[in-house]
Amino acid sequence: MDAEQARIMQTLGGVNLAAHSVQGGMALPPPHGHDGTDGDGRKQDIGDILHQIMTITDQSLDEAQAKKHGLNCHRMKPALFSVLCEIKEKTGLSIRGAQEEDPPDPQLMRLDNMLLAEGVAGPEKGGGSAAAAAAAAASGSPTDNSIEHSDYRAKLSQIRQIYHTELEKYEQACNEFTTHVMNLLREQSRTRPISPKEIERMVGIIHRKFSSIQMQLKQSTCEAVMILRSRFLDARRKRRNFSKQATEILNEYFYSHLSNPYPSEEAKEELAKKCSITVSQVRRDISFSSVSNWFGNKRIRYKKNIGKFQEEANLYAAKTAVNAAHAAAAAVQNSQTNSPTTPNSGSSGSFNLPNSGDMFMSMQNLNGDSYQGAQVGANVQSQVDTLRHVISQTAGYNDALGGNSMYSPHGLNANGGWQDATTPSSVISPTEGPGSVHSDTSN
DNA sequence: TGGCATGATTCGGT
DNA sequence: ACCGAATCATGCCA
């Protein structure tokens, strides 16, 4: 910094008196209007004074102060000052216009924009990683994207912190240096002519110098963010298959909700959690969005080629039917021991995947009648859903176009879309009692 | 290595 | 915001 300072100081005012006059052993060249008619004595005087000025730096501070005071009080000081003013006026012309207001650097603007977009510069997004982590810990559902990329966020936060610390350091240094130079110039302006404009220009030079350093900082920060991005966010696209267990869980849900395979937010969360727990921790977590993706893909691919999924559907239908039967048996047993006036006790609203019979509780039986108040009724709809493929094979049920089949009030309609895809069955079902629960919208 | 399976992304529509 | 549809990109297997 000292060398830099010296270099800047060297350019102060654009005039190097030493080089021009003193060190060369020559007297100050006579300015216009002053042709040196006062004689050699005065020239010598000026030469002495200049020499004294130039040698100040070699002396101790106290000595220099004394010398300076002496100079200021010198009888020739006003005359010398006016001479210097004139020299300044002349040389100033060549400087003027050389350093005009430069337009904002496009590259710097790009860097600024990028840093802003990446959340490194500007207001912190989402309260930072610490806040995000705290929020996630409080909610207890580590399934959203913020958690999925918590590592990325943490790293980004680190970069952000370093960037701001460095930026602050630079700004502080810049301010300190500017203040220092300004004080120096003000001090010098007592012995040599320095206009406020010149000081301003000097400050501009310093700021430009510092902003070029800042640009380097911004550049390296951008690079760091880019590297981070490629390591984390872009890695999202790298596909890794879900584990068998996870696919099984998702398929179970899908085929047991074939009439309306649109899991609610809660169901998705539950599924994501379930999959992540079941799946070995080596594999990455199946997030909320992964579940959404999976169901999106599944719906579209199932619809596109139902025949291809027939076998799979049957498999899961049978599997779920067994579960449902077990659940029904348990429920019957339960109803015998418990009061029949307490329906759904202990099972309503619980999202229990292995016991998928509890998952779809619209209380509709095969004929569309309701089983209000009977717990076993809760399992019927899921049986309808999961057994549809089995039935269809023997009773000519067309899963894709059989929207009006008596076996299914839902399913794919003639347009190729799922009926009730936008309207929850609990809303349109005329037979559903107020106490009934659709697990898709509960939990 | 080619082809299929599949998770992720993009885009337009509602 | 969510969905369907198309597409991309990668994993997996014969």
Side-chain angles (χ1 to χ4, degrees), chain A residues 347-368:
Chain A
S347 68
S348 70
S350 73
F351 184 68
N352 196 348
L353 278 168
N355 255 339
S356 55
D358 286 334
M359 290 195 291
F360 200 78
M361 303 170 70
S362 61
M363 304 291 192
Q364 286 176 310
N365 71 356
L366 290 168
N367 295 317

Side-chain angles (χ1 to χ4, degrees), chain A residues 123-373:
Chain A
E124 199 163 1
K125 286 175 182 174
S129 61
S139 70
S141 52
T143 48
D144 63 357
N145 289 333
S146 66
I147 298 309
E148 190 181 6
H149 306 307
S150 62
D151 211 12
Y152 170 78
R153 285 184 173 225
K155 290 272 194 303
L156 191 68
S157 181
Q158 260 180 25
I159 291 174
R160 187 190 160 89
Q161 202 176 344
I162 292 166
Y163 170 74
H164 281 287
T165 311
E166 289 299 308
L167 206 63
E168 218 171 288
K169 267 192 216 164
Y170 284 155
E171 264 162 26
Q172 202 183 335
C174 181
N175 287 339
E176 270 176 28
F177 188 66
T178 305
T179 312
H180 178 69
V181 168
M182 276 171 80
N183 287 339
L184 221 59
L185 287 173
R186 280 203 198 97
E187 185 69 22
Q188 285 196 3
S189 70
R190 288 170 62 188
T191 47
R192 67 185 185 94
I194 301 172
S195 65
K197 206 174 175 183
E198 242 179 305
I199 296 176
E200 209 175 289
R201 203 183 122 261
M202 202 57 232
V203 169
I205 290 170
I206 295 167
H207 282 180
R208 267 195 293 278
K209 212 74 206 168
F210 271 91
S211 76
S212 77
I213 299 168
Q214 272 189 9
M215 190 145 99
Q216 282 175 25
L217 172 70
K218 284 174 181 176
Q219 213 153 18
S220 50
T221 306
C222 279
E223 274 171 30
V225 171
M226 283 290 110
I227 291 165
L228 190 68
R229 272 188 83 89
S230 65
R231 276 200 196 149
F232 283 85
L233 295 187
D234 294 348
R236 284 179 310 176
R237 205 171 170 85
K238 276 203 164 188
R239 191 177 64 79
R240 273 197 282 177
N241 288 348
F242 293 166
S243 72
K244 243 183 171 176
Q245 296 102 307
T247 313
E248 221 163 278
I249 287 166
L250 294 168
N251 270 320
E252 266 186 44
Y253 187 96
F254 180 81
Y255 287 113
S256 64
H257 293 74
L258 208 50
S259 60
N260 190 32
Y262 298 87
S264 65
E265 297 253 314
E266 292 83 357
K268 281 181 200 169
E269 262 184 42
E270 197 71 36
L271 283 168
K273 213 195 259 178
K274 201 107 191 164
C275 289
S276 296
I277 291 166
T278 311
V279 172
S280 72
Q281 297 302 311
V282 181
R283 303 190 78 89
R284 75 178 179 81
D285 284 353
I286 295 175
S287 69
F288 184 92
S289 59
S290 295
V291 172
S292 297
N293 286 339
W294 190 92
F295 274 90
N297 285 324
K298 190 74 184 180
R299 280 193 299 267
I300 202 89
R301 283 162 187 165
Y302 176 84
K303 210 171 82 175
K304 260 187 181 172
N305 195 350
I306 291 162
K308 200 180 84 180
F309 287 94
Q310 195 73 53
E311 203 179 326
E312 185 182 72
N314 290 340
L315 191 80
Y316 282 100
K319 200 172 174 179
T320 314
V322 169
N323 287 335
H326 284 163
V332 167
Q333 210 167 26
N334 206 27
S335 68
Q336 285 171 342
T337 53
N338 291 332
S339 164
T341 55
T342 55
N344 299 334
S345 61
S347 68
S348 70
S350 73
F351 184 68
N352 196 348
L353 278 168
N355 255 339
S356 55
D358 286 334
M359 290 195 291
F360 200 78
M361 303 170 70
S362 61
M363 304 291 192
Q364 286 176 310
N365 71 356
L366 290 168
N367 295 317
D369 295 326
S370 66
Y371 275 92
Q372 285 188 27

